[in-house]
Amino acid sequence: MPGKILIVDDEVHIRMLLEQTLEELEEDCGVTILSAQNGEEGLALIRSEKPDVVFLDIMMPKLNGYEVCQHVKEDPAITGIGIVLLTAKGQEVDRRQGLDLGAARYMTKPFDPDEVLRVARELLGIAD
C-alpha cells in the first residue's frame, strides 16, 4: 500500500537531500513524495493531499512547524498523519513541545539519512 510523504522545509538543499534520501521508497514501493517551502504551503498540501508522513522543519516563514502541528492536531479532517519534526532545535524543551503538539517523532539536524528512511518506513508500515 504505497503512501505519500510531504517534506516541508524552507531550505532548498534540505528538501533536496530529504527527497534523495526517500527516493528509494518512491522507486521501490511507489511512495509519492511532495514538498513545500514554508509552513503555510505545507499546511495547504496536508489538507489537500492528506499525506501519511510529513517531515516538518520548525523554523520557517509564514507558519512555523509547531503551528502546522497544532493545526493538524486540531483539524479532525486531517488526523492520523505521522509528523516528524526535523529541526536544528535540539533542546529538550523544544523536543517536548513538538511531541506535546502531536508530532510522532522529533529528529535533529544534521540528520542521518538511514534514520530518516527507517522512520519513514516505520510510519508508512513498510517492512525493510
Side-chain angles (χ1 to χ4, degrees):
M1 170 201 111
K4 290 182 190 173
I5 296 174
L6 172 61
I7 299 164
V8 186
D9 200 303
D10 58 326
E11 295 181 45
V12 67
H13 67 279
I14 297 289
R15 287 196 312 272
M16 287 173 57
L17 190 55
L18 282 166
E19 286 170 12
Q20 289 170 346
T21 299
L22 296 166
E23 72 184 357
E24 173 183 317
L25 295 177
E26 195 173 36
E27 293 166 1
D28 298 347
C29 307
V31 171
T32 301
I33 298 176
L34 310 163
S35 68
Q37 59 190 354
N38 61 58
E40 198 172 81
E41 188 180 307
L43 185 58
L45 276 171
I46 289 169
R47 288 188 169 132
S48 66
E49 296 290 332
K50 296 185 177 43
D52 303 285
V53 178
V54 178
F55 285 92
L56 181 63
D57 187 20
I58 291 176
M59 297 179 287
M60 292 184 295
K62 302 199 178 173
L63 285 175
N64 69 41
Y66 293 138
E67 292 166 325
V68 172
C69 257
Q70 186 74 39
H71 283 287
V72 170
K73 185 178 180 181
E74 293 172 353
D75 188 341
I78 49 176
T79 58
I81 294 172
I83 295 180
V84 180
L85 288 171
L86 187 58
T87 178
K89 293 173 75 76
Q91 298 293 318
E92 178 60 26
V93 66
D94 299 316
R95 191 181 79 77
R96 176 59 34 218
Q97 181 179 356
L99 295 174
D100 288 348
L101 286 171
R105 299 280 191 292
Y106 192 100
M107 300 173 72
T108 54
K109 296 175 187 173
F111 58 86
D112 175 355
D114 291 335
E115 180 72 2
V116 166
L117 198 54
R118 188 191 65 71
V119 167
R121 283 180 172 280
E122 181 183 317
L123 293 174
L124 287 170
I126 297 172
D128 283 328

